């Protein structure tokens, strides 16, 4: 017979809804992750093949205002643009990956367990990193000449201020830190739940 | 330390662990942990059910030993 405590599965009926919604969120974040992966893979490819065979420049829109047109870049600038794009995309991808794993845990009914809490905490750190990495990416691409303020279509439409970054990136800072704090609170709840489970 | 004499009472009443677990509504695994004093605590509710099932007093089940 196992000598580990059996935690009773007394999740409320309301949690069934949360599990169903978690499955929807898993699908949503899987799609978002795929889109981001496409962006991450496209950047080095666009740096090699900067235009289509018909001569149309290829580009990546990081936000509504930060659009990189590879067609008009020199090879050196294209390298800078690739680094910038990856710096922009990778932390976002990692935060999405951990959020996806978190909802997978919730969908399985794992709530006050070490694994979902760890995913929540890491997602929070990556969300926070996304904000700073996006600023660093814009700065780097500007310094490298991969971004300019000459705003014709297909080139760059960068207003030249960090505050011009899309709301979604500014919000990463304001969601990242609270998520980290929430993870620590959940860890405390997990500890209490484990303690309660040892009372028969 | 608190020692649980549940196995002694079970033997006296000629009752099996499985039967008691079913009667009081806890898993056999948790009852086994209780028997071997590997739990942090026992709810009054559980103690009440055990006493009712074994027709005994809490003092028959729990014992304090020095050290």
């Amino acid at each position: 017979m196992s000598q580990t405590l059996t935690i009773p599965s007394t999740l409320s009926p309301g949690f069934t809804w949360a599990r169903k919604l978690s499955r929807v969120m898993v699908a949503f974040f899987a799609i978002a992750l795929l889109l981001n992966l496409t962006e991450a893979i496209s950047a080095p490819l666009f740096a090699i093949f900067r235009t289509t065979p018909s001569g149309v420049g290829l580009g990546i829109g990081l936000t509504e205002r930060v659009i990189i047109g590879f067609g008009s870049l020199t090879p050196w600038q294209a390298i800078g643009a690739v680094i910038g794009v990856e710096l922009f995309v990778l932390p976002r991808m990692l935060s999405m990956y951990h959020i996806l794993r978190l909802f997978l845990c919730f969908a399985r009914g794992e709530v006050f367990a070490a694994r979902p809490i760890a995913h929540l905490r890491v997602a929070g750190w990556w969300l926070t990193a996304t904000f700073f990495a996006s600023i660093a990416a814009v700065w780097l691409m500007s310094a490298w000449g991969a971004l300019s303020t000459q705003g014709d279509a297909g080139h760059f439409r960068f207003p030249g201020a960090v505050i011009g970054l899309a709301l979604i990136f500014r919000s990463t800072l304001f969601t990242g830190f609270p998520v980290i704090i929430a993870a620590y609170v959940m860890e405390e709840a997990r500890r209490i739940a484990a303690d309660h489970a040892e009372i028969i | 330390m608190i020692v649980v004499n549940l196995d002694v009472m079970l033997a006296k009443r000629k009752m099996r662990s499985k039967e008691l677990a079913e009667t009081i509504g806890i898993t056999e695994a948790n009852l086994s942990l209780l028997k071997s004093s590997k739990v942090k605590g026992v709810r009054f509710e559980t103690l009440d059910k055990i006493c009712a099932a074994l027709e005994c007093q809490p003092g028959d089940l729990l014992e304090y030993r020095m050290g």
Side-chain angles (χ1 to χ4, degrees):
Chain A
M1 196 181 289
S2 167
Q3 287 293 298
T4 52
L5 276 158
T6 314
I7 301 170
S9 54
T10 50
L11 295 169
S12 67
F15 192 74
T16 313
W17 266 105
R19 285 180 74 172
K20 279 180 188 166
L21 286 173
S22 293
R23 283 186 207 110
V24 175
M25 293 310 287
V26 166
F28 176 78
F29 276 99
I31 294 165
L33 196 62
L34 263 172
L35 290 172
N36 276 274
L37 188 67
T38 310
E39 214 167 44
I41 294 167
S42 299
L45 288 175
F46 285 5
I48 299 163
F49 310 105
R50 293 197 293 280
T51 57
T52 62
S54 55
V56 178
L58 294 166
I60 291 176
L62 291 174
T63 72
E64 281 172 17
R65 292 184 175 196
V66 182
I67 299 166
I68 299 155
F70 282 87
S72 54
L73 297 180
T74 63
W76 181 243
Q77 286 173 328
I79 292 168
V82 172
I83 295 169
V85 170
E86 300 303 340
L87 200 58
F88 218 97
V89 173
L90 289 178
R92 190 170 57 179
M93 268 179 66
L94 285 162
S95 60
M96 281 180 179
Y97 168 76
H98 285 285
I99 294 169
L100 186 145
R101 294 289 306 271
L102 171 74
F103 282 111
L104 257 177
C105 290
F106 288 166
R108 284 195 212 110
E110 275 183 66
V111 189
F112 292 124
R115 196 161 43 174
I117 294 164
H119 284 305
L120 185 69
R121 187 170 47 239
V122 178
W125 281 115
W126 280 117
L127 273 171
T128 310
T130 300
F131 174 78
F132 293 107
S134 61
I135 293 170
V138 170
W139 180 85
L140 182 87
M141 286 190 287
S142 297
W144 215 305
L147 277 180
S148 78
T149 51
Q150 297 156 15
D152 49 335
H155 199 223
F156 310 112
R157 286 177 283 129
F158 175 55
V162 169
I163 205 147
L165 285 171
L167 179 69
I168 191 164
F169 289 102
R170 271 179 280 155
S171 66
T172 55
L173 183 68
F174 299 110
T175 50
F177 276 126
V179 163
I180 294 165
I181 296 163
Y184 281 103
V185 172
M186 262 183 85
E187 174 58 33
E188 199 57 22
R190 186 198 66 80
R191 198 189 58 74
I192 293 167
D195 223 39
H196 274 267
E198 286 187 59
I199 299 170
I200 293 175
Chain B
M1 64 181 288
I2 301 290
V3 177
V4 181
N5 291 323
L6 188 57
D7 43 359
V8 177
M9 282 311 296
L10 279 166
K12 278 184 185 172
R13 299 289 183 262
K14 293 186 175 74
M15 192 186 275
R16 289 187 175 202
S17 295
K18 191 181 176 184
E19 196 185 335
L20 180 66
E22 280 169 7
T23 311
I24 65 172
I26 68 168
T27 64
E28 259 194 280
N30 281 351
L31 189 68
S32 170
L33 287 163
L34 181 60
K35 277 199 310 187
S36 51
S37 307
K38 284 179 181 169
V39 291
K40 279 192 180 171
V42 187
R43 288 191 185 89
F44 281 142
E45 187 191 352
T46 313
L47 199 57
D48 183 72
K49 284 177 185 172
I50 296 170
C51 287
L54 296 175
E55 294 171 354
C56 65
Q57 293 297 313
D60 299 327
L61 299 167
L62 305 172
E63 183 192 338
Y64 175 71
R65 279 186 202 162
M66 292 289 273

